[in-house]
Amino acid sequence: MSDEAQGPPSALEGLRVLDLSGAMGNYCGKLFADMGADVILVEPPAGSELRQEPPFIGDVPGVERSLNFAYQNTSKRGIGLDLDTASGQRILREIAATADLVIETFPPGWLEARGLDYASLARLRRQIVVASITPFGQTGPYAQFGATDLVGLATGGLLYMGGYRDTAPTQAHGDQAFKCAAMYGAVAAMLAVTEAELSGHGQHVDVSMQECVTLALENAAQTYDLEGVVRQRPPGDQRFAGYGLFPCKDGYIYLGSRGIGNSPAWSRSLQWFKDEKMPGAERLFGPEWSDLDYLKGIEAREVFADLFIPWARQHSKAWLYSEGQKRLIPLAPVSTPADLVENPQLQARGHFVPFTHPLVAQAARMPGAPYVLSETPWKVRRPAPRLGEHTAEVLAEIGIAPDEVARLFSAGVVA
């Protein structure tokens, strides 16, 4: 069982979770596993679909080489199990009888057809919780539709809000819809598990990726409902003078000095430009710069850009950020992945943690938890499991004899 016994107790120590999910739900299981739950990843004998997702170690595909899989399945144990066989279904029921939570991403009805749905498992363990994370939920006209991450962003409305007004909608990097569903699924599942511990009764948690993504729209839907106005993507340049993304010496910064009305940050910015002897700064001191309609116009935006950008290109984003903070001006660097790894704030909090893998000679770094629990800390307890790494171990725990385990391996029921 690795080194769980070492150090302070974990927040979810003693909780057992079965992770039957694929790419949409593996991150949900990781959240439980890295907090100390005994999470058993149940994969088909050929391996999870996520094992085929790039990037791969050394750019060579293979079931043990996906970095995506390796990150989303840390701290879990893993078994290979064919749920299309009667023997595989029986084994899953026996393991579920010892579990507190099952996470799954199968199409609605798939588990029920195999006698593995919530109602069937609850007859074996009344306290069990089953969290189903699917594209559109268990009910409704879209329930049986499949979806990629991009489809989740599109049907949830967030894709329409991504990018700039003068371009087509733009997908955010990474599987943000999947992660959104996984995170909401983890919260809902944890609430259900807590209630089950209090009442002794589990429940079925139905998570819709579409609905999770829709929550990210903030008030866009309400704006249309109440005002009949469809919120638009922002323009690719400044929304108004002094507000937007601007290039600098080594990348980009976001500047928000010119807000609606007479923003204090605007007067501070003018003083900054004057102190630094920014060429042409005096052109920004006229009374027209207090007129919002003027600020939104092309002339104001062009004048500000013509003055600010050449000056900003002489300075690094780190210097601009530091000076902006000193002067209480809303200015922030646009961080690249390289910037994040070296970011002093993230380093001070130990956000990036070692990533180890049997095929990687030197430990790399990966994001840790975005929270710190003082008494029950988060930590990665083991690398993601190799395909079937803990199958024999888990089968022994539910009392299956070694000769029966060998027969199951030979028949291809387990891997």
Side-chain angles (χ1 to χ4, degrees), residues 104-173:
E104 62 96 4
T105 54
F106 294 108
W110 194 94
L111 287 177
E112 182 181 9
R114 291 156 178 80
L116 302 173
D117 57 316
Y118 168 70
S120 299
L121 299 182
R123 286 193 287 270
L124 303 173
R125 178 167 167 78
R126 188 174 63 171
Q127 190 173 324
I128 200 166
V129 170
V130 175
S132 298
I133 304 173
T134 56
F136 301 101
Q138 300 292 301
T139 59
Y142 294 3
Q144 291 296 328
F145 292 179
T148 62
D149 179 84
L150 182 60
V151 170
L153 291 176
T155 58
L158 191 58
L159 184 64
Y160 181 80
M161 307 299 294
Y164 297 110
R165 193 173 301 168
D166 53 355
T167 65
T170 303
Q171 180 181 15
H173 175 73

Side-chain angles (χ1 to χ4, degrees), residues 227-398:
E227 302 177 10
V229 175
V230 177
R231 290 268 298 275
Q232 301 296 315
R233 298 184 296 282
D237 55 4
Q238 307 170 67
R239 289 174 60 183
F240 38 82
Y243 185 104
L245 291 175
F246 297 91
C248 62
K249 186 176 182 178
D250 57 353
Y252 289 87
I253 59 164
Y254 160 79
L255 178 65
S257 65
R258 179 70 270 185
I260 295 176
N262 293 316
S263 167
W266 178 245
S267 59
R268 297 181 190 127
S269 297
L270 292 180
Q271 187 61 50
W272 183 25
F273 302 154
K274 183 178 179 180
D275 292 344
E276 292 293 333
K277 297 180 173 54
M278 184 179 88
E282 66 277 0
R283 296 178 61 189
L284 303 175
F285 282 81
E288 68 273 18
W289 293 93
S290 296
D291 183 346
L292 182 59
D293 288 335
Y294 176 73
L295 296 176
K296 290 180 178 179
I298 296 176
E299 178 182 324
R301 287 185 281 137
E302 288 182 347
V303 168
F304 184 85
D306 288 345
L307 298 176
F308 181 75
I309 291 176
W311 177 77
R313 285 190 185 277
Q314 300 175 37
H315 303 288
S316 70
K317 54 190 172 187
W319 183 85
L320 292 166
Y321 181 44
S322 176
E323 292 298 309
Q325 289 294 299
K326 291 176 185 177
R327 296 171 180 269
L328 302 181
I329 297 169
L331 185 155
V334 179
S335 297
T336 67
D339 294 331
L340 293 175
V341 171
E342 303 302 328
N343 183 274
Q345 176 67 15
L346 296 178
Q347 287 185 345
R349 290 178 58 83
H351 176 70
F352 286 96
V353 299
F355 167 81
T356 60
H357 191 284
L359 298 179
V360 177
Q362 182 178 354
R365 283 180 284 183
M366 67 178 180
Y371 46 79
V372 177
L373 303 184
S374 62
E375 302 301 322
T376 54
W378 175 101
K379 70 174 181 178
V380 174
R381 285 155 178 77
R382 55 164 62 89
R386 299 186 301 277
L387 180 58
E389 180 177 353
H390 303 97
T391 299
E393 177 180 293
V394 172
L395 295 184
E397 290 173 3
I398 60 172

Side-chain angles (χ1 to χ4, degrees), residues 11-32:
L12 300 183
E13 196 168 300
L15 194 73
R16 173 167 280 191
V17 179
L18 298 188
D19 185 352
L20 277 61
S21 69
M24 195 181 303
N26 274 175
Y27 189 72
C28 178
K30 171 186 170 66
L31 295 174
F32 283 90

